[in-house]
């Protein structure tokens, strides 16, 4: 396949409700969509890096810049491009995994569309629908939190994740557990604690949580290993896992017993599959994280979550949990699940009218 041009499109999508985490509040998504124009088919990719580098070092303007200056020129120069070769071609550029993931996704979509193969089949998916959880941000009060959780339970979400931070942890979790004694529940700290908080975090053990996600800093694997030894609640890593190798290291050190897989964080769907495989080989279950994706990223994530070792519900909610109007046909929850697209490539139609409405700017970078 030859990459002829790449369209970089910036869209702005208001969230239906603000999403507050320990590192900030999102109300408006500023998303970079990437379209790979090849000699065979076009393919779509989504860059879900947030607007500010607060979750990790990447941010959307930085991703666009590195794509233009460093990633696209290398891909244009590759004579026979395949999705499997993208990571290799881009290897000299250090880091920038979210930017790399976006363009690899677009090339993969183009390639699979050309040979009429769905994402899920290509990745090794074994199910036609995936169990969905929902992530609940930090709320202004505990009564409001209970209302929000109740709303999602009523909609059919079978697992709830609560964002926590120092000052918003044991109390809110206790309240939710008391109101919903049987609800599969987990918490996400987004690296907001330090090893000195171990005793405090052990107070969460009584709530029968599925897991605690990323309590400590991204680069503190040793800290996570000692914390994991002190907690009954399983420790899951998100930010710390940036590749299959880092997953293998974290597991070997005892830093986690569950892994959250996000394709963008590890540099793309193909590396995400390798993270899945490494975890599976070590008996470590995985689940698919979310980054408030549009229907495009959601289609890829749902396909990935169809792989066999995705045994825990992911942060993959229906489109209406995020956006009033998505840029694809909406993903709708049925019995707490989302259906895995079966069409070629990502397998979702773009709603061109909706897309045009949210587009701020479109640039086409041609092959030199
Ligand atoms: O359902 O997509 C979703 C949201 C899940 O909590 C979620 N995502 O810290 O994991 C996270 C958080 C996130 C959102 C991270 C956007 C980065 C960007």
């Amino acid at each position: 396949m030859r990459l002829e041009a790449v369209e970089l499109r910036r869209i702005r999508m208001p969230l239906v409700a603000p999403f507050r985490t320990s590192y900030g509040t999102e109300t408006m998504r500023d998303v970079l969509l990437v379209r790979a124009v090849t000699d065979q088919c076009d393919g779509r990719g989504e860059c879900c890096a947030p607007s500010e580098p607060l979750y990790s070092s990447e941010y959307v303007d930085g991703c666009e810049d590195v794509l233009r200056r460093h990633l696209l020129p290398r891909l244009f120069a590759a004579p026979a491009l395949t999705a499997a070769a993208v990571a290799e071609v881009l290897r000299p550029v250090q880091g920038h995994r979210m930017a790399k993931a976006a363009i690899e996704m677009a090339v993969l979509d183009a390639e699979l569309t050309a040979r009429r193969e769905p994402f899920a089949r290509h990745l090794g998916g074994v199910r036609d629908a995936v169990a969905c959880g929902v992530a609940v941000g930090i709320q202004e009060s505990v009564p409001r939190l209970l209302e929000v959780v109740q709303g999602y339970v009523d909609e059919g979400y079978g697992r709830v994740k609560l964002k926590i931070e120092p000052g918003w942890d044991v109390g809110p979790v206790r309240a939710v557990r008391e109101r919903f004694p049987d609800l599969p529940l987990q918490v996400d700290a987004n690296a907001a604690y330090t090893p000195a908080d171990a005793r405090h975090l052990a107070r969460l053990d009584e709530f029968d949580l599925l897991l605690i996600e990323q309590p400590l800093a991204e680069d503190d694997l040793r800290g996570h290993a000692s914390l994991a030894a002190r907690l009954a609640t399983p420790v899951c890593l998100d930010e710390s896992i940036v590749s299959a190798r880092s997953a293998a290291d974290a597991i070997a050190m005892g830093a986690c017993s569950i892994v959250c897989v996000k394709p963008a964080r590890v540099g793309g769907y193909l590396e995400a599959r390798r993270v899945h495989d490494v975890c599976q080989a070590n008996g470590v279950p995985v689940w698919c994280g979310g980054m408030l994706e549009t229907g495009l990223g959601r289609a890829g994530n749902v396909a990935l979550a169809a792989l066999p070792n995705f045994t825990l519900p992911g942060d993959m909610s229906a489109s209406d949990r995020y956006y009033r109007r998505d840029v694809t046909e909406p993903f709708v929850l049925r019995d707490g699940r989302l259906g895995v697209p079966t069409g070629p490539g990502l397998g979702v139609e773009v709603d061109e009218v909706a897309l045009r409405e949210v587009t701020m700017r479109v640039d086409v970078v041609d092959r030199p």
Side-chain angles (χ1 to χ4, degrees), residues 194-208:
T194 74
D197 296 313
R199 201 139 48 129
H200 180 69
L201 292 172
R203 293 177 62 200
L204 294 169
D205 281 345
E206 66 173 290
F207 306 120
D208 193 25

Side-chain angles (χ1 to χ4, degrees), residues 46-238:
E46 173 170 349
C47 176
C48 35
S51 13
E52 293 185 275
L54 305 178
Y55 164 79
S56 69
S57 62
E58 284 187 85
Y59 62 105
V60 65
D61 288 327
C63 289
E64 184 173 342
D65 188 72
V66 79
L67 274 161
R68 285 178 189 277
R69 290 179 199 266
H70 302 287
L71 306 185
L72 298 185
R74 284 181 158 78
L75 294 172
F76 285 132
L81 191 63
T82 60
V86 169
E88 203 43 49
V89 172
L90 301 182
R91 194 171 307 283
V93 177
Q94 301 300 305
H96 296 287
R97 292 181 173 88
M98 293 185 189
K100 291 176 177 177
I103 185 66
E104 186 199 78
M105 176 181 172
V107 173
L108 183 58
D109 183 37
E111 189 176 305
L112 296 180
T113 304
R115 55 169 200 257
R116 321 255 347 126
E117 188 180 355
F119 246 65
R121 196 196 308 153
H122 180 73
L123 294 174
V126 294
R127 35 181 103 84
D128 52 19
V130 300
C132 297
V134 62
V136 177
I138 294 164
Q139 304 294 317
E140 72 216 17
S141 67
V142 170
R144 178 66 194 141
L145 172 68
L146 293 174
E147 252 172 51
V148 171
V149 172
Q150 183 71 60
Y152 288 134
V153 168
D154 292 345
E155 285 179 43
Y157 289 102
R159 175 287 254 163
V160 168
K161 158 169 138 180
L162 304 178
K163 291 287 188 181
I164 58 168
E165 66 179 1
W168 181 266
D169 46 34
V170 177
V173 174
R174 170 173 288 120
V176 172
R177 180 45 89 215
E178 280 173 1
R179 173 75 68 85
F180 306 93
D182 303 320
L183 179 67
L185 194 62
Q186 63 192 56
V187 293
D188 181 6
N190 286 115
Y193 294 88
T194 74
D197 296 313
R199 201 139 48 129
H200 180 69
L201 292 172
R203 293 177 62 200
L204 294 169
D205 281 345
E206 66 173 290
F207 306 120
D208 193 25
L209 301 176
L210 290 169
L211 57 92
I212 176 169
E213 182 182 348
Q214 195 71 39
L216 309 178
E218 179 181 323
D219 60 357
D220 193 3
L221 284 188
R222 242 167 34 151
H224 280 103
S226 27
L227 182 64
R230 291 185 60 180
L231 300 184
T233 307
V235 171
C236 168
L237 289 176
D238 170 17

